[in-house]
Amino acid sequence: CIVVSAITWRWQADTLVVILLATLGGTAAGVGAIHALLAPLTKATAMLRAIQRGERVEAIPIGGEDLVGRLLRGVAEAANEAAARSERLTLAAERDPLTGVHNRRGFLAAVNKALAGNPPAILAFLDLDHFKAINDKLGHAAGDTVLQAFGKRLGQVVRKSDICARWGGEEFAVLLPHASLADAQEVMERLRTSVALNPLPQASITFSCGLTTVHAADLLEDAIRAADGALYAAKNAGRDRINAAE
């Protein structure tokens, strides 16, 4: 319009102002439309980055039937599949396949979270008495059945907030957050009574237990050594007993 006005030398200020305002308005509307169009793509990019970091995507926007909508659905499916796969891998990596309780790796990860803020807690180490004799006399299949049954009984007796694990072999570990030694002794005695009154399949068995106080998350290694020492003191004192570290 400016070029034509310059050539013809016919300037119409009103027309130029209207065209200028319309151009500015159209540009603003176009920028807004582009921003609205790219917003789902921005969300999709953020979700993909979250998936790459191993984070779970909670809110997934669903688009229409256009290209952007199909892209969002694809990202949603990828996010769900990645989350499910990550959960399966985490479960496999942090759970003992025989008993279903945490393995040592999963136990330490869960304990470090539970001890955030340094709440009062008790660490218990349990060892099945004369377990080797069961394997020698009845076979390893029978020993596995005993371990499975003990892991299940342990999960039934402890509190919901407690964290159980198979530490290794016939040794188990339990963290009792927000508990005193008296609380932990009561839980372990309840377990001991349950095992005595309702024997495990394949063989009657007892267990020895060592207890210690966990003062802080960064002192967990010291607590593990103390609980392990209390456990072996209980076994040396005759087994089938609960011993607290001094």
Side-chain angles (χ1 to χ4, degrees):
C1 182
I2 292 173
V3 170
V4 172
S5 297
I7 293 174
T8 61
W9 203 250
R10 294 178 180 176
W11 297 94
Q12 297 179 1
D14 295 343
T15 302
L16 290 175
V17 170
V18 170
I19 293 176
L20 176 61
L21 292 177
T23 302
L24 293 177
T27 302
V31 170
I34 293 173
H35 181 270
L37 179 64
L38 294 180
L41 301 181
T42 303
K43 292 181 181 179
T45 302
M47 286 190 295
L48 289 173
R49 289 176 178 171
I51 294 170
Q52 290 175 338
R53 293 192 299 267
E55 300 174 0
R56 190 174 183 83
V57 178
E58 298 295 341
I60 301 176
I62 303 299
E65 294 300 325
D66 58 357
L67 181 61
V68 175
R70 292 197 296 272
L71 173 63
L72 287 176
R73 283 196 296 276
V75 172
E77 292 174 1
N80 291 334
E81 291 175 3
R85 184 165 54 250
S86 177
E87 289 172 359
R88 289 194 297 269
L89 291 174
T90 300
L91 184 63
E94 297 187 351
R95 290 282 175 176
D96 175 55
L98 179 64
T99 62
V101 298
H102 287 290
N103 58 20
R104 184 179 301 195
R105 174 182 175 179
F107 178 74
L108 293 176
V111 165
N112 280 313
K113 292 180 181 179
L115 293 179
N118 300 330
I122 302 297
L123 179 65
F125 269 21
L126 302 83
D127 189 85
L128 303 186
D129 298 326
H130 304 295
F131 183 76
K132 185 176 183 299
I134 296 176
N135 282 334
D136 293 341
K137 293 180 181 180
L138 303 178
H140 288 279
D144 288 348
T145 301
V146 170
L147 290 173
Q148 288 174 330
F150 186 79
K152 183 177 180 180
R153 186 73 58 84
L154 180 62
Q156 292 171 342
V157 171
V158 299
R159 306 171 309 171
K160 291 184 178 180
S161 59
D162 298 337
I163 303 169
C164 304
R166 183 184 177 195
W167 191 252
E170 68 273 18
E171 192 170 2
F172 292 78
V174 181
L175 181 80
L176 299 93
H178 303 283
S180 64
L181 276 174
D183 297 330
Q185 287 172 335
E186 180 181 348
V187 172
M188 293 301 113
E189 284 292 353
R190 191 162 63 241
L191 176 62
R192 201 159 69 96
T193 301
S194 174
V195 172
L197 296 179
N198 301 284
L200 304 179
Q202 301 293 341
S204 297
I205 199 166
T206 61
F207 69 89
S208 302
C209 176
L211 302 174
T212 191
T213 302
V214 183
H215 297 286
D218 55 356
L219 297 177
L220 181 59
E221 290 295 330
D222 295 336
I224 290 173
R225 285 191 290 269
D228 199 48
L231 168 62
Y232 279 94
K235 296 183 79 68
N236 292 333
R239 296 181 171 84
D240 190 21
R241 66 191 64 221
I242 299 165
N243 181 50
E246 298 180 358

